[in-house]
Amino acid sequence: MTTRLFRIALLSASLLAMYGSSAASEPMSAGIADMGMAQEWCDHADLRRIEGIWEFPDDHTRVLVRRRTGVEMEYDIVAVDSPDCRLKPGDTVGYIKESPDPARFEFYMYRTKSRGKFHDLGKCMARLASDGNAIYVSASRLKATLRSLSFLPKFWRSVRISVDRPADDIPKGMVRVYPAADISREPIYL
């Protein structure tokens, strides 16, 4: 009987040590399991301008962007809801680092998942829209063109053919879902 009470006391003390000290500094910093928990985290946290729930419009994946524990100026990207069955709520799928420009960030996303672990971290530049409702992501691109006309006589070298792809000009990135950006979280002094 005393061994059982000792185990319960030891378990309670370890849980209190694990969650008791971090609860004051970061509300619900433990696992985010669904949209409701993510919204509750946003409601109780002192959010910075990039933090909140965002959606990738291309595949309807919703993520929570929140400060990294113990690291200044870095944010985790945590999956909240996704039609992709490989992503579970609570998975950290990437992170964001601040830069000297307050509107630009380094954006890191994992590209592959095997055996339950993410691999192949990709890096690109992200820009926060002026209204705070979107994050535009710009990946590095390599564009190579082989001019087959250069093998022809001089007259045909002057002819150039190009294809305009308007869909390539549509910005990629995330759209803010929660909280609405028009609600200022900064105190207003009168």
Side-chain angles (χ1 to χ4, degrees):
M1 186 71 149
T2 58
T3 315
R4 188 174 184 188
L5 289 174
F6 178 73
R7 286 183 183 167
I8 292 173
L10 185 62
L11 180 63
S12 299
S14 64
L15 287 174
L16 184 61
M18 284 173 49
Y19 297 109
S21 62
S22 64
S25 61
E26 257 191 42
M28 289 184 56
S29 63
I32 301 294
D34 61 12
M35 187 70 168
M37 290 177 76
Q39 287 177 341
E40 188 175 336
W41 184 89
C42 290
D43 291 340
H44 292 94
D46 182 25
L47 298 180
R48 295 185 183 166
R49 68 187 193 292
I50 196 168
E51 289 182 301
I53 301 171
W54 298 82
E55 182 174 335
F56 288 97
D58 293 340
D59 62 358
H60 305 289
T61 297
R62 290 187 175 190
V63 296
L64 171 67
V65 175
R66 66 177 181 190
R67 275 173 291 229
R68 277 191 150 178
T69 307
V71 181
E72 283 296 314
M73 298 172 50
E74 288 189 18
Y75 305 87
D76 282 326
I77 302 171
V78 180
V80 173
D81 183 36
S82 176
D84 186 351
C85 62
R86 294 173 293 176
L87 291 179
K88 292 182 247 165
D91 283 348
T92 300
V93 296
Y95 64 97
I96 298 173
K97 290 172 87 172
E98 288 187 20
S99 74
D101 184 345
R104 294 181 188 266
F105 301 87
E106 291 179 36
F107 193 85
Y108 298 88
M109 289 286 287
Y110 293 105
R111 293 185 251 198
T112 57
K113 184 178 183 180
S114 63
R115 296 183 182 164
K117 294 190 178 188
F118 290 96
H119 303 283
D120 193 20
L121 192 64
K123 177 184 175 184
C124 53
M125 192 273 299
R127 182 176 52 86
L128 184 65
S130 59
D131 64 358
N133 283 325
I135 296 176
Y136 303 112
V137 178
S138 302
S140 301
R141 288 191 247 177
L142 174 64
K143 188 175 182 179
T145 311
L146 175 64
R147 295 184 57 212
S148 59
L149 295 177
S150 62
F151 298 114
L152 297 174
K154 283 190 175 190
F155 171 75
W156 292 106
R157 284 189 217 170
S158 63
V159 176
R160 294 194 180 164
I161 300 171
S162 66
V163 178
D164 186 24
R165 295 185 180 142
D168 291 344
D169 295 335
I170 297 173
K172 303 290 184 207
M174 302 187 294
V175 178
R176 184 182 296 275
V177 175
Y178 188 85
D182 59 312
I183 298 172
S184 175
R185 293 202 169 254
E186 298 295 320
I188 299 173
Y189 299 102
L190 301 176

